[in-house]
Each structure stands twice: as structure tokens, then as C-alpha cells.
Amino acid sequence: MKVLYHLKDAGYDAYLVGGGVRDLLLGREPKDFDVVTNATPEQVKATFRNCRLIGRRFRLAHVYFGREIIEVATFRANRPADRDLAHTDKGMILRDNVYGTIKEDALRRDFTINALYYDIRDFSVVDYAGGMQDLQEGVLYLMGDPEIRCREDPVRMLRAARFAARLGFRLHPDTEAPITTLGGLLADVSPARLFEEVLKLFMAGYGVASFERLRQYGLFAQLFPDTEAALVTEEGGFPHTMVLQALKDTDERVREGRPVTPAFLFAVLLWAPVRLRARALEANGLAPYTALQMAAGDLVERQLTRVAIPRRFSMPMREIWVLQSRFRHTKGKRPQRLAAHPRFRAAYDFLLLRARAGEADPVLAEWWIRFQEDGGVPSPPSADEERPTRPRRRRGGRRRRKAAPAE
Ligand code: ATP
Ligand code: MG
């Protein structure tokens, strides 16, 4: 409100736009607020003391209120005159930096419900594209020629799935049609941008719905091709159960305001293909631990060409996987050693999730639950179990242990 009034008092037009207006009209709490104005970024900067300009090609103003940032953009247009220069041969937009009128600004947005402008002067909502009606009817309608709009920016397809999931809206048939056929264009989007989209899809409290929509439109296969292949071969089996259970848990945690970590979620999403690959390697004679490490390496390398998982998440993710092969050792000091591992808790949660999905041995999971409940002390071995009194030593065991840093 301060930003809007301040711009208005300085003689400019200023509107709240996008998700802020949409969510307020739906009675939801907006995630962030975007403001648009006819003032240029330099004029915006001159209007506020607490303002910084960002972006090179397209400049935006950030107005600061303590830790809050309100993004103020100048009306933009999608001028046909620039079309030839600003698109790739597949129609993807490269440059998008021409100032325009409010109406032009509205039409270059994605869905009609995202193109509503709240006008501070008379408390009205400006609607150039029928967004109010779509909002009331629960419809997502991609403005303009939907195929061209999907080609310009394939991420709009993911946004369609995301808003459908989050708001419980349906896609207008005109909007749905190109999405079911153009998913492959996501291969041209930068993996870093797709990582951001994946977080919004799966870590914001509506992950189960996102997963279902993405699979419905064939978009999940574009983001996680190896996982999709595993899901298809074991339709209704453990990969499905495990992913859904994890997403459900994550949604619940988000709703309760508890922390969630992308490392765990990616570990779940990619586990089915990692396990398949590890099995194949084991069948070729590799030890389980080595097989898992190699499978993890292969899978991550392939996955990164689609979705750029930053190292701070991919490293713990791999640890969660590789630790799975160590849960089978329940004798001697090995359980305590495993429990002291910084990633033990996440790996343990992962084991329980696997057991719930029917993929890990429930007896083993039970053993570890008891181990945890007993404060990390393994239960006494049964009579027929031999418990080594000293750490086992193979020939040259000491040396070898030192030489294998992963152990
Ligand atoms: P969220 O609640 O997730 O922030 P949002 O609708 O505010 O939803 P933003 O990514 O914050 O989404 O974008 C703000 C606005 O910018 C959108 O409402 C839309 O009008 C416009 N916009 C964002 N991304 C695109 C895009 N890829 N193509 C066209 N318009 C877009
Ligand atoms: Mg937003």
C-alpha cells in the first residue's frame, strides 16, 4: 500500500498485479507482492529512498521495507516488431524488454487470472482478459495463441500444472491441448530455472497435487525421465507409493510450518531408478555399497542435465542413498557408528519410508526403530546370533579401512 500510494502521490499510475491480486481475491495469503507502474525504473528510484535497481537487460526496482522487498516493474510490451530478433528458431523468447502500456503489459502475462490489476485510486480491479470470470469459475486460461505462448516460454506449461494443483483449478481445453504435446520443449529450458520450478511444485504444500497434474500432462517425464521410466515399469508398485507418501508427508510438514529439505525430496524422487541401476550393477558382481555409489553417480549426472540440483542438496541426497546399504549391519559396533553419521537421521527416515512403501525389509526397519527408541543401544543379540567381541579384522583390514574414505 505504501509503495502504491507513494507512486500515485508522485504523479504515476501504480497497480498491484499478478499473484498478489489473484490470491487476495481468492481469500488466500499472497506469497509476494508485485507492483507495476508507468514510471521508468529511474523514476521509481528517484521516488523512494529505500530502492535499488536490479537487472541489466530488463531493469526492475526493488523497494525495501526491512527484510521485505516489493518488486516494482515498468509496464512491458511484447512488440511484434521485435519478434524476428528476439526469438530462437523454436519460438522461445530471448529478449523481452520493451516498455509499453498497461494493456500491453496485461496481454504478455500468462494466465488471465494472473493479469488482474488492483487500482489504488478507486479500489477497482482492472481486467483486460476476462480474468475475474475465470477466477470465479476456477479456470486457467493461457492468453493469446496457447501454442505460441508455450513455445515462447515452455515454463508456462509447468506453471499451468502448478496453479492447477495449488488452486484446485482446471485448465481450459484450449490451454490444455498444447501442453499435452509440447512438453518436450522443456528440454530447452535452463536446468537452473527448472530446479526453481521443481521446488515451487513440490515444496510449497501441494506436492501431491503437483505430482498428479505433472504426470497427467506428461510433464513429469520431462523433469525426471529416469523416474518416469521406473514409475511406468512398476505402475502401482513401490516407486509410486513411496513418492506419494513422501510428498504427502512434505505437504503436511509445510502446512504445520515444519522444515523440509530438498535433499530428502530429491532422494525420494530419484530412488527408484537409482535402485534399479544398483541392482543391475550388483548382478554384475559389484558389492552393494559400491553398486549404490556408482548407480548414484550415474543417475545424478544424467538428472543434472534436466534439473540443476545444487551441490548442497545433491551431496546429502547421495549420502542418504549410500547409507541405505549400511542399515543391514545390525551387529557389533556398526549400528552406533552409523548412528553417529551426520546424515543418519535423514537416512533413517528414508529407510522407514522405504519400508512403508514395501521396498525395504519391515523387520529391519523395526529393528532400527527399536534401536532409536533404546537411545541408540542395539538390543542384545538373540542366542543363536554370534556377536563379535572385538572389531572384526580381515587380512590387512586396518589399512584397507583407511584407504576407503567412504566407509
Ligand atoms: P506465486 O504465488 O507463485 O508467486 P505469481 O502468479 O505471483 O504466483 P510470479 O512468478 O511471482 O507468479 O510472477 C508474477 C506475475 O508475473 C504472474 O502473476 C504473471 O502475471 C507474470 N508472469 C510470471 N511468469 C510468467 C511467464 N513465464 N510468462 C508470462 N507471465 C509471467
Ligand atoms: Mg508472485
Side-chain angles (χ1 to χ4, degrees):
M1 296 296 276
K2 273 190 187 163
V3 172
L4 291 172
Y5 276 112
H6 212 73
L7 284 166
K8 176 178 99 74
D9 292 343
Y12 302 112
D13 298 339
Y15 302 84
L16 182 67
V17 68
V21 182
R22 179 196 67 218
D23 291 347
L24 287 173
L25 286 169
L26 289 171
R28 294 165 162 263
E29 192 184 335
K31 252 190 6 226
D32 44 35
F33 294 98
D34 295 312
V35 168
V36 276
T37 175
N38 61 351
T40 64
E42 290 70 25
Q43 288 170 327
V44 174
K45 185 164 168 57
T47 309
F48 293 93
R49 265 185 302 123
N50 47 344
C51 175
R52 224 184 284 164
L53 298 189
I54 59 146
R56 269 170 179 238
R57 272 203 305 231
F58 196 87
R59 311 209 82 192
L60 288 174
H62 276 179
V63 181
Y64 292 81
F65 293 98
R67 293 180 56 199
E68 297 276 334
I69 297 174
I70 306 293
E71 196 167 279
V72 182
T74 306
F75 294 136
R76 276 196 250 181
N78 222 352
R79 294 262 164 75
D82 301 316
R83 278 265 156 83
D84 294 343
L85 290 169
H87 287 71
T88 66
D89 53 1
K90 285 181 188 163
M92 199 150 98
I93 279 200
L94 297 176
R95 226 159 13 81
D96 185 14
N97 56 356
V98 183
Y99 296 142
T101 63
I102 179 173
K103 188 166 178 193
E104 287 172 314
D105 188 88
L107 298 180
R108 55 165 283 288
R109 292 177 182 274
D110 47 7
F111 305 98
T112 58
I113 60 164
N114 286 346
L116 297 170
Y117 296 72
Y118 174 65
D119 187 346
I120 197 76
R121 284 170 304 201
D122 57 1
F123 316 113
S124 65
V125 173
V126 185
D127 177 7
Y128 290 100
M132 278 306 248
Q133 193 181 336
D134 289 341
L135 204 61
Q136 273 151 18
E137 292 174 2
V139 172
L140 281 159
Y141 188 90
L142 192 55
M143 293 181 283
D145 179 325
E147 180 170 341
I148 292 176
R149 302 307 308 284
C150 289
R151 286 184 182 280
E152 276 176 353
D153 181 4
V155 167
R156 287 174 186 149
M157 297 186 271
L158 295 178
R159 289 173 61 87
R162 176 156 74 86
F163 291 127
R166 172 159 150 215
L167 307 173
F169 278 29
R170 64 189 171 85
L171 302 197
H172 188 280
D174 295 353
T175 302
E176 190 171 323
I179 292 180
T180 49
T181 58
L182 296 179
L185 294 173
L186 283 167
D188 300 328
V189 176
S190 93
R193 190 168 172 214
L194 292 183
F195 173 74
E196 295 301 323
E197 290 301 319
V198 166
L199 290 191
K200 289 185 201 167
L201 282 158
F202 293 127
M203 309 270 302
Y206 46 90
V208 170
S210 290
F211 177 68
E212 282 164 356
R213 295 299 187 127
L214 289 173
R215 288 206 81 215
Q216 178 187 349
Y217 303 130
L219 300 174
F220 187 78
Q222 301 300 326
L223 298 172
F224 297 96
D226 292 316
T227 308
E228 175 67 24
L231 285 168
V232 168
T233 50
E234 296 200 50
E235 198 64 63
F238 105 82
H240 217 90
T241 318
M242 187 171 164
V243 167
L244 279 178
Q245 189 59 54
L247 289 172
K248 211 168 134 212
D249 292 348
T250 305
D251 289 350
E252 222 167 273
R253 292 182 73 100
V254 171
R255 263 198 297 282
E256 292 166 358
R258 286 149 70 202
V260 289
T261 156
F264 191 84
L265 189 81
F266 278 96
V268 173
L269 285 170
L270 297 170
W271 176 241
V274 166
R275 178 178 160 278
L276 276 178
R277 179 95 189 98
R279 288 226 161 155
L281 292 170
E282 272 186 62
N284 286 342
L286 283 186
Y289 188 83
T290 319
L292 255 182
Q293 273 198 324
M294 282 186 66
D298 289 357
L299 251 294
V300 171
E301 193 181 325
R302 287 154 61 107
Q303 181 62 35
L304 291 183
T305 65
R306 292 297 173 121
V307 177
I309 310 166
R311 274 180 75 83
R312 67 179 185 283
F313 301 129
S314 67
M315 293 310 285
M317 169 183 82
R318 291 172 65 153
E319 283 180 313
I320 290 171
W321 290 337
V322 172
L323 288 178
Q324 297 307 305
S325 69
R326 288 174 57 180
F327 281 109
R328 77 183 71 199
H329 305 296
T330 55
K331 292 185 195 147
K333 292 255 183 290
R334 294 181 79 166
Q336 271 115 329
R337 273 213 301 274
L338 182 53
H341 192 285
R343 212 63 66 193
F344 170 75
R345 184 63 213 201
Y348 165 80
D349 287 342
F350 197 80
L351 175 73
L352 298 198
L353 188 65
R354 288 172 59 211
R356 269 157 85 194
E359 187 255 326
D361 179 4
V363 177
L364 188 66
E366 270 304 315
W367 190 94
W368 281 97
I369 291 171
R370 274 207 316 281
F371 173 85
Q372 277 289 84
E373 285 168 355
D374 296 348
V377 184
S379 46
S382 54
D384 55 345
E385 263 179 331
E386 181 222 341
R387 187 178 182 183
T389 47
R390 283 179 296 152
R392 258 187 306 156
R393 273 177 79 173
R394 278 177 248 109
R395 249 187 314 150
R398 273 261 164 83
R399 271 240 182 95
R400 223 180 258 161
R401 180 152 293 156
K402 263 189 189 150
E407 275 265 347

